[in-house]
Each structure stands twice: as structure tokens, then as C-alpha cells.
Amino acid sequence: MLLSKSCVYGLRAALFLATRKDGEYTPIKGMSEKLEISFHFLTKILQQLTAEGILKSYKGPNGGVKLTKPGHEVTLMDIVLAIDGPKLLTECALGLPGCGLKNPCPLHDKWAETRDSIRDMLENTSLTDLVRKGIEENLRLTDDGDFEDLLRI
Amino acid sequence: MLLSKSCVYGLRAALFLATRKDGEYTPIKGMSEKLEISFHFLTKILQQLTAEGILKSYKGPNGGVKLTKPGHEVTLMDIVLAIDGPKLLTECALGLPGCGLKNPCPLHDKWAETRDSIRDMLENTSLTDLVRKGIEENLRLTDDGDFEDLLRI
DNA sequence: TTATTTTAAGACAAAAGACTCTGTAATTAG
DNA sequence: CTAATTACAGAGTCTTTTGTCTTAAAATAA
């Protein structure tokens, strides 16, 4: 797996939140059912995003979580970084410590290029980009559902 | 980690074998010491490569493992595929089953591009490519050593 | 205040990944 | 034949990831 399962779930949840109205808190319970992710596990993941300042949370009735910034200001990279950490896109492909421009491994140059292409994609794609695409083409965030489903809630 | 640790070790070992003379079997013990990888663990990984036909092995004195094909015919993709499996570069970034051209997720297109760029790099880089680069620039396959080290054995 | 709804936190269990150990089989050298 | 050297096979351990469960804390509503 290129991305951890937590990260994948985090991306799904972030996209889901980007479909909600600004200012409204969305309860994790409903989200977990809609996205078919275990409630407690999703809670943990979203706590990480909250700790990183990507989400705001509120307890009690009408509470839940929401994006702190508008969806077009949140990139996939923000989510991946918060969950899988910065090492994901800096580590040496041969596992050598200190591999870099100064003391590279034979694969360093090509691998750095590859990592950069991943990074570029993640940095240049916002949640809103994908929500817009999802709406226009009526795509899905779950095994069975479609985007109209999500927007109807 | 984009690649599993087993995969990373497998790549190092495959590169090491590509520096050896054709036809000679290299004992895993020496390789594990040179590459600073646990002997038993490396053995397991190389057994996978042997099972996949990438290596040939021979028991007894003067035995060991060697590449079945010349290094310029073995790509990094061959190694990654043998160890991390084909799913690594086909899975959906949002974890949706059946995500593809027919029933894509909102991230499918961009993610497919990203995966392809990884795949292209792996498929278009042979062991010999990297060994050559390693020799020319005297790079390293271990934390401390350099390529001259390896060739001297 | 009391009951309800929600997130937060932490202990716990299960599964997968990373690694170790022990023994066996094949091969060679003496 | 015997001893040494090597890969092979499988069980076992440790760690990380994934997932569950229970309790606490905050907020609201009645």
C-alpha cells in the first residue's frame, strides 16, 4: 500500500467534509455510516486531523467536526502529511540513512523525481477540486453510493 | 513507507547481485554482512525472488544465489512486483473496491497518472543502469560503504 | 438539575509486517 | 563416508497497524 489505510480513510472523510455546508459541524457517527468506516477508528483518525488544525471539533448535540479552512485551501498533501507524516515522501528507496544530494544512493535521483511527482499531484489538488469533479461526473466516495447521495444528507 | 522494508532490502540485494560476475553464486551470508541486513531475514526475501524466478539458488559449498538473467534485463519493477505484489500500483487511493475507468472515484484519474509515473520509472530502470551509475559516481548501497568496496570482494 | 448527544482518551485485541531461531536437505571437499 | 557449507522451511517473537471497547468530558435541551 502506498498510503496507509488510516490515510485513505482520512482522505475520504476530508472529501466528505468538503461537501458539507461551511460552518456546520458534521457528527462522526453519521459520517462513519455513510463512508462505511468503523466509527471508533474514524474518530481516531479525525482526532489526528483535529490535532493538526485541519479540522475543528465541537462536543455535544449539533456538534461534530468541520474543516477549519474552506475546501479549496486544503490540499490532499495536508491530509497525507498529517496522517502518514513527512517521511513518506522523503525516505530513500534503498533505506539508506542520510541519502540526499550530498551522499546519494544510486537510485536517489530517479526516486526523488518520482516522489516529487507524487508530491506535486497531492499539493496541487484541493478537496474542492475533487468535490467539483465528483459532482460534475457523479462519482463516488463509497463502495456503492454516488455523489448525489452525499449531498442529500 | 511507499515500499515495504522487505522490498527495499530486496532492491539492495538485487543491485548487489548485479555487481557480481555472471555465473558465480554469491552466498547470502556474505551479502547480509556487506549490506547490513539480518541474514535470516534476507534469506526469506531472496527465497521469494528465487520462487519468482528472478534468482537461481544453489546449495552447498560455493553455492548461493545469482540472477537468472543479466542485470540489464532485470528492472526494479520485477523486484517490487515480486515482493510487494501487483496491488501496490493498482489500488485505489480512496480504498474503493472496483475503482477503475468504469466506476472511478474522484481521485482516480490523477492517482492513476501518479501510479503510472512510478511504474514507468521502475520499469525503465534496470539493475545494470544503477550499477553503472553507482560505479561511475562511486555511490553506495550501504550506510557507510561505497561501490569500490563491493567490487573488491 | 438531569438526560442526551457528541468528541476525547486510553486500554485492549487482532492482524500484518519485520525479524529470529532451529532444524533439515542438498552439495561439496577431504 | 564424514564433515562442512550452503539454501530451504517452518515455528516463534516483537513491533506496528488496524480496529474495538469502555469511560470521561463537554455541550445542549428539557
Side-chain angles (χ1 to χ4, degrees):
Chain A
M1 284 200 118
L2 293 175
L3 302 176
S4 73
K5 229 164 170 190
S6 295
C7 191
V8 164
Y9 290 162
L11 287 170
R12 292 242 299 278
L15 285 172
F16 183 89
L17 287 173
T19 68
R20 313 279 85 193
K21 288 199 195 72
D22 273 12
E24 279 185 5
Y25 284 97
T26 305
I28 302 175
K29 192 83 204 310
M31 217 186 319
S32 76
E33 284 164 3
K34 209 69 196 163
L35 296 177
E36 295 164 315
I37 300 171
S38 140
F39 166 61
H40 290 288
F41 193 39
L42 182 58
T43 297
K44 281 223 165 144
I45 295 164
L46 297 187
Q47 274 172 22
Q48 289 184 67
L49 294 182
T50 304
E52 295 287 330
I54 294 171
L55 303 183
K56 257 189 289 199
S57 70
Y58 204 79
K59 291 177 184 174
N62 309 317
V65 295
K66 67 175 178 185
L67 293 169
T68 46
K69 294 191 288 186
H72 66 267
E73 288 182 31
V74 183
T75 69
L76 302 186
M77 192 66 203
D78 295 329
I79 312 294
V80 171
L81 218 54
I83 297 177
D84 275 351
K87 273 194 214 167
L88 185 74
L89 293 178
T90 53
E91 276 175 328
C92 171
L94 300 184
L96 301 184
C99 179
L101 273 178
K102 263 189 298 187
N103 196 12
C105 76
L107 188 47
H108 175 77
D109 296 350
K110 293 196 175 200
W111 189 243
E113 259 186 63
T114 301
R115 284 183 320 207
D116 285 348
S117 88
I118 304 176
R119 189 197 316 279
D120 286 350
M121 190 277 277
L122 294 174
E123 279 176 352
N124 293 316
T125 308
S126 73
L127 298 180
T128 303
D129 289 338
L130 293 185
V131 168
R132 190 173 299 132
K133 182 180 171 79
I135 292 172
E136 279 167 8
E137 307 178 21
N138 194 27
L139 305 178
R140 60 187 179 136
L141 283 185
T142 61
D143 188 0
D144 42 352
D146 60 11
F147 244 81
E148 297 196 355
D149 262 357
L150 300 179
L151 299 174
R152 246 200 307 277
I153 307 174
Chain B
M1 285 200 116
L2 293 176
L3 301 176
S4 72
K5 229 162 171 195
S6 295
C7 192
V8 164
Y9 290 162
L11 286 170
R12 291 241 299 276
L15 285 173
F16 183 88
L17 287 173
T19 67
R20 311 279 88 192
K21 290 199 193 72
D22 274 12
E24 280 185 6
Y25 285 97
T26 304
I28 302 176
K29 192 83 205 306
M31 219 186 317
S32 76
E33 284 164 5
K34 210 68 197 166
L35 297 177
E36 294 164 314
I37 301 171
S38 140
F39 166 61
H40 290 289
F41 193 37
L42 182 58
T43 296
K44 282 233 159 132
I45 296 165
L46 297 187
Q47 273 171 23
Q48 289 182 69
L49 295 181
T50 304
E52 295 287 332
I54 293 171
L55 303 183
K56 257 190 288 199
S57 70
Y58 204 80
K59 293 177 185 172
N62 308 316
V65 296
K66 66 175 178 184
L67 293 169
T68 47
K69 294 192 288 186
H72 66 270
E73 288 182 30
V74 183
T75 69
L76 302 185
M77 191 67 203
D78 295 329
I79 312 293
V80 171
L81 217 55
I83 297 177
D84 276 350
K87 274 195 211 165
L88 185 75
L89 293 177
T90 53
E91 276 176 329
C92 171
L94 300 184
L96 302 184
C99 178
L101 275 177
K102 265 190 298 189
N103 196 13
C105 75
L107 188 47
H108 175 78
D109 295 351
K110 293 196 177 204
W111 189 243
E113 258 185 65
T114 301
R115 284 183 319 208
D116 285 348
S117 88
I118 303 176
R119 188 198 315 280
D120 285 349
M121 189 279 276
L122 295 175
E123 279 176 352
N124 292 316
T125 307
S126 73
L127 298 180
T128 303
D129 289 339
L130 293 185
V131 168
R132 191 173 299 133
K133 182 180 172 79
I135 292 173
E136 278 166 9
E137 307 178 21
N138 194 28
L139 306 177
R140 61 187 179 136
L141 284 184
T142 61
D143 188 0
D144 42 354
D146 60 12
F147 245 81
E148 297 198 356
D149 262 356
L150 300 179
L151 299 175
R152 247 200 305 280
I153 307 173

